[in-house]
Amino acid sequence: MKKTTTNLMLCAMVFAVALVISNVITAKTVQTGIPLFGSTILVPSAVICYCVTFLMTDVIGEIWGKKEAKTVVLGGFACQILATCLILIGQALPAADASMQASYDMLLGQNAVFVLASMAGYLLSQSWDVFVFHKIRNRVLSNGGTARSRWIWNNASTMTSQLIDTVVFIGIAFGIGFGWLFDPAMVGTLGGMMVGQYLCKFVLAAIDTPIFYFLTRNAENRAGLIEAA
C-alpha cells in the first residue's frame, strides 16, 4: 500500500466502520463448539470486526506513523460516542407500531454498562496497541533489524492489546454489570469466558499477519525509520 492521503483515509474509514459495526452486533454471542473448562467457548459476533480495527491501526502505524495511528484511535472513540447518541435518538423517536419498537430495542438497545465496558476496553487496548507497536518496532530497527521482522511488533502489540480488551470488557460488562465477579458460583464462568474469548482473538491475530504483510509490503523499502516512542 502506497503512503498517500487517499489510502490513509481508506484505512481510517475501514477502521471506523468495523468499530461502529462491532458495537452494533456485539450483543449476539456465537457458540464456537470448542470445549473449555467443562463448557463451550462463547464469543461476541463482533470479534472479527474488532480484529479488523487492530489490523488497521497497525497498518496505519507501519506506513504513516505513530501520530496518525493515535489520531485514528481517538477519532474512533469519537465515532463510538456519536454512534451511541444516534442510536439512542432513533430509539426515542415514536415508532409506527409497537413490534417495530420492540425489535429496535432488542437489536440496538443500549445497555449503559455494556457501553461503558466497550468504550473502556477500546480506549485502553487501542492506546496500548499503538504504544507497544512502535516501542518494539523502534527497538528492533535500532538494533539492526529490518522491516521484514514486522510480524514481531504486529503480533506482540495486537495479542497483548486483545488481552487488555478482553479482560476489561468482560470484567466490567459481566463481572460488575451481571455481578459475576462477586458470586463464587460464577467466577469460574467469568474466567472461562475471558480465557476462551482471548484464545479466539489470539488465533485471529495470528491469522491476519499475512494480510498485514501484504498491505505493508512497501514498508520494507523504508526500513530504518524510527520514531519517538
Side-chain angles (χ1 to χ4, degrees), residues 57-127:
T57 51
D58 285 355
V59 169
I60 292 171
E62 182 66 36
I63 298 176
W64 286 275
K66 183 179 180 180
K67 179 180 178 181
E68 286 75 9
K70 290 176 65 176
T71 298
V72 169
V73 168
L74 294 176
F77 188 72
C79 287
Q80 274 192 308
I81 295 174
L82 176 60
T84 299
C85 291
L86 292 175
I87 290 172
L88 290 174
I89 291 172
Q91 189 174 18
L93 294 175
D97 60 72
S99 62
M100 185 182 297
Q101 183 66 40
S103 297
Y104 189 103
D105 293 341
M106 180 179 294
L107 180 63
L108 298 174
Q110 300 291 292
N111 182 304
V113 175
F114 273 72
V115 171
L116 175 63
S118 176
M119 289 188 173
Y122 165 80
L123 198 57
L124 290 173
S125 62
Q126 291 284 2
S127 298

Side-chain angles (χ1 to χ4, degrees), residues 171-228:
I172 295 176
F174 296 91
I176 297 176
F178 286 4
W180 292 2
L181 189 62
F182 314 106
D183 182 355
M186 295 304 295
V187 170
T189 301
L190 183 68
M193 182 179 287
M194 288 182 179
V195 172
Q197 290 198 15
Y198 177 66
L199 288 177
C200 289
K201 292 177 179 178
F202 184 95
V203 171
L204 288 172
I207 291 174
D208 78 14
T209 303
I211 302 175
F212 173 75
Y213 263 73
F214 175 74
L215 294 176
T216 61
R217 59 193 182 281
N218 293 328
E220 294 181 12
N221 299 324
R222 299 190 298 271
L225 176 62
I226 301 176
E227 301 175 272

